[in-house]
Structure formats: C-alpha cells, structure tokens
Amino acid sequence: MRILITGVSGMLGSSMAVELSKAHQVFGTGNSEMDLPINYCIFDLSKGSYKELIDWSKPELIIHCAALTHGNYCQKNPMEALNVNGYSVSKLLEATDEKVKLIYVSTDAVFSSGIHLAKESDCVFPENVYGKSKELGEFFILNSYRNCLIIRTTIVGMNMYRDKSGFVEWIMNSSQNNEEITLFDDVLFTPISIWDFMEEIKFLITLESFSSKILHISGNEVCTKYEFGMLLLEEFSLNVKKVKKGSINIFTDRAKRSNDQTLDCTFYQEKYNRKLPSLRKTIKTMKKVYNNEKRD
Ligand SMILES: NC(=O)c1ccc[n+]([C@@H]2O[C@H](COP(=O)([O-])OP(=O)(O)OC[C@H]3O[C@@H](n4cnc5c(N)ncnc54)[C@H](OP(=O)(O)O)[C@@H]3O)[C@@H](O)[C@H]2O)c1
C-alpha cells in the first residue's frame, strides 16, 4: 500500500515510517531536514494547498502524526497551532479523493479535568490551545463522510534523532547526569509505547474500512507520571535517588493541562479482540527497543 505519513521527523512518525516501510511503500513528510531510508520531503503543513504533497506521494492511506505538540508554544501561537494541528486535516481531505483513507493521531488532551478513563462517547472539552487544535482536527473527521479514523492516545517513547528529546529521554538523561527532577504524583495517565501503538496501527490498516470514527488506543493500566518514571528508571537500572514527587499545581505559568489524562480502551479491545499493554509491558517494550538499537 502507498502510505503518506506526516510528522516523520518526530518521535512517533519516524519510528512508524521505518516500521511500515518494511511492508509498504512509505512517503514521509516533516518540517525539517532528516535522514531516514524512506522517500522524504519537507512540507510545511501551514501552507494553504496540499496539492504538491499529494501529487508527490499519491497515497492510498494517510497517517497524520504531525502536530505542534508543545503545549506552551501552542498557547502562545494559537493560530499556528489551529492551522497545523487542526486545519491540516481539512486540507488533507480536500486534496485527496474519497478512496484515500485517513488516520488522525489525536490525544487525551481533548478531554477536561474531571473525566477519569475517558471513553470514545464522552464529551470533549479541551482546556488549552493544543487540545482545542486537536479537537478541531477531529471535528473535520467527524463531519466527513470519508473512510477516516481518529485515534486518541497517550504515547511514550524515544526519539530516533538524538538532538530531539521528550518526556522519557528527559527522565533518563536527568538520572544519568545525576540531576534532580520532579515528577507529578497527582497526574494520572495510561501510557502506551510508540512501538506497541504501531502494532495496533499495523492491525488497523489491514481493515477494509473503519467502522468507528473514534478509537481510544492507549495503555491498559493507570499510573501517575511519578510511578511511570520510577518504573522506567528501575527497568533501566538507573539511579532513582534524585527523583522527587511533586504536584502539577506548582507550575502556574504553563499551559493548563488536565491532571487526569487517562483513556478507557475497552471499546477498541472488545470490538477488535485486541489486548493493549500493561504498564510493565510498555516499559519492557521500551527497554527491548533501546537494547536492540544499542543507544548510548
Ligand atoms: N507525545 C505525546 O505525549 C503525545 C500524546 C498523545 C498524542 N500525541 C499525538 O501524537 C502525534 C505524534 O506526536 P509526537 O510526540 O511524535 O510529536 P513530535 O515528536 O513533536 O513530532 C511532531 C512532528 O510534527 C511535525 N510538524 C510540526 N509542525 C509542522 C508543520 N508546520 N509542518 C509540517 N510538519 C510539522 C514536526 O516536524 P519538524 O520536527 O520537522 O518541525 C514533527 O515531525 C501528534 O499528533 C500528537 O498530537 C502525542
């Protein structure tokens, strides 16, 4: 299958492009230079027309992973966030014909505080610009007759590019550098590794059509960010002594974020008879990939 993946210079997109290219013809796009063994072009999704991108990739399926993911940046640049994270969906649909399928990777951030283990049927009410911009992307899919799917998730993983760093790298690097960090023990989430998440994508793209417009695909177990960080460091035999427990409430100058980011994935698992990973499996998968890639 010809697959266009957006955001392949990012954490999820890069690993997905490499994995899917083992069985498919993958075309990837990002907004900066990168070096992956796939067809790649730089394409700024804030452009008005996507014709050039679609003419180049001629996809049968688009997996839309690109987004401005930094909450504070989105808060300060709302129009850019809405354009890249939200209107991009509308532009991808407009630029392609109805035979082209679309998977939109969305987030738990479309929900507000106070919802525990959010279901697909729960009302969205994002609390920050990032969440609103992803809700906008979802809006275009929900209002389309096309064969497209929203996947809400809470991914964790490691970047292929060493100059990029996310939550997991921050925890591990801080420990290796003997730096003190604070992890929230009042923020709940249901993490899934990007590699376990990709297994579900590989399953979903075998389906002829998407019979549900929204699926929650995340880890099967609730934990705090603190618990996650401690388990991660223990699995990698790294020092946990410098990890402090803290509250999200101490950060008053950051974009507001719900302290319950948990997703209920029962619907997806029952509908497709899939088993999503436990917390321990999520951490073990990361260790396995890390060892296989022989990172420093
Ligand atoms: N990471 C999480 O915690 C998390 C949780 C839930 C859902 N998600 C969703 O999962 C998806 C992947 O997240 P991620 O963590 O892999 O993100 P990421 O590492 O921040 O990567 C984002 C990607 O989007 C691209 N991008 C940003 N602005 C662009 C623009 N104007 N034009 C074209 N490309 C642009 C980036 O390109 P450059 O780097 O080249 O600029 C990069 O390739 C996102 O849709 C996100 O909303 C993430």
Side-chain angles (χ1 to χ4, degrees), residues 9-12 31-32 43-45 65 67 69 130 134 153 164:
S9 47
M11 181 178 77
L12 175 64
N31 205 20
S32 55
F43 185 84
D44 182 354
L45 291 168
C65 299
T69 52
Y130 169 67
K134 298 296 287 191
T153 187
K164 296 197 173 184

Side-chain angles (χ1 to χ4, degrees), residues 2-233:
R2 282 178 80 101
I3 305 178
L4 168 63
I5 305 178
T6 68
V8 305
S9 47
M11 181 178 77
L12 175 64
S14 53
S15 289
M16 181 134 31
V18 170
E19 184 60 27
L20 294 188
S21 64
K22 292 173 187 165
H24 300 277
Q25 209 177 347
V26 171
F27 294 77
T29 178
N31 205 20
S32 55
E33 293 288 346
M34 60 119 243
D35 184 23
L36 276 183
I38 57 153
N39 303 298
Y40 179 76
C41 80
I42 295 180
F43 185 84
D44 182 354
L45 291 168
S46 62
K47 281 185 186 173
S49 165
Y50 288 11
K51 186 175 182 307
E52 177 197 336
L53 176 66
I54 300 302
D55 285 351
W56 168 72
S57 54
K58 297 181 186 58
E60 293 162 80
L61 167 71
I62 301 172
I63 306 178
H64 189 16
C65 299
L68 289 166
T69 52
H70 196 283
N72 288 353
Y73 182 86
C74 292
Q75 209 64 21
K76 288 183 188 139
N77 301 277
M79 295 316 289
E80 188 183 350
L82 290 170
N83 197 9
V84 174
N85 298 356
Y87 284 112
S88 56
V89 174
S90 167
K91 288 185 263 184
L92 285 170
L93 289 171
E94 265 170 33
T96 50
D97 71 45
E98 59 189 27
K99 290 197 288 298
V100 179
K101 296 192 222 171
L102 173 68
I103 294 177
Y104 177 54
V105 180
S106 190
T107 166
D108 58 275
V110 295
F111 293 108
S112 62
S113 306
I115 301 187
H116 183 60
L117 287 170
K119 296 185 177 59
E120 288 83 348
S121 53
D122 285 326
C123 286
V124 296
F125 195 81
E127 298 186 341
N128 57 34
V129 170
Y130 169 67
K132 286 183 205 305
S133 67
K134 298 296 287 191
E135 181 196 13
L136 179 65
E138 292 190 1
F139 167 85
F140 291 116
I141 290 183
L142 293 174
N143 286 285
S144 165
Y145 62 89
R146 294 269 296 272
N147 196 358
C148 42
L149 171 65
I150 296 160
I151 302 179
R152 297 192 188 122
T153 187
T154 316
I155 43 170
V156 286
M158 288 170 278
N159 286 273
M160 277 190 165
Y161 307 103
R162 304 288 173 90
D163 57 332
K164 296 197 173 184
S165 173
F167 182 54
V168 166
E169 287 102 339
W170 171 68
I171 295 173
M172 291 178 51
N173 292 341
S174 303
S175 170
Q176 280 162 336
N177 297 331
N178 208 24
E179 289 162 5
E180 190 170 291
I181 55 165
T182 301
L183 293 174
F184 302 144
D185 70 341
D186 56 358
V187 177
L188 298 173
F189 73 147
T190 42
I192 183 170
S193 79
I194 54 173
W195 301 281
D196 291 315
F197 181 75
M198 283 185 310
E199 290 305 309
E200 304 312 314
I201 294 280
K202 282 183 351 197
F203 161 71
L204 285 165
I205 65 180
T206 63
L207 302 176
E208 188 62 36
S209 65
F210 305 128
S211 56
S212 302
K213 278 259 164 123
I214 309 176
L215 293 173
H216 287 186
I217 301 182
S218 211
N220 224 341
E221 221 175 310
V222 175
C223 64
T224 65
K225 300 261 171 161
Y226 174 80
E227 287 165 342
F228 173 82
M230 293 297 278
L231 273 177
L232 178 80
L233 293 177

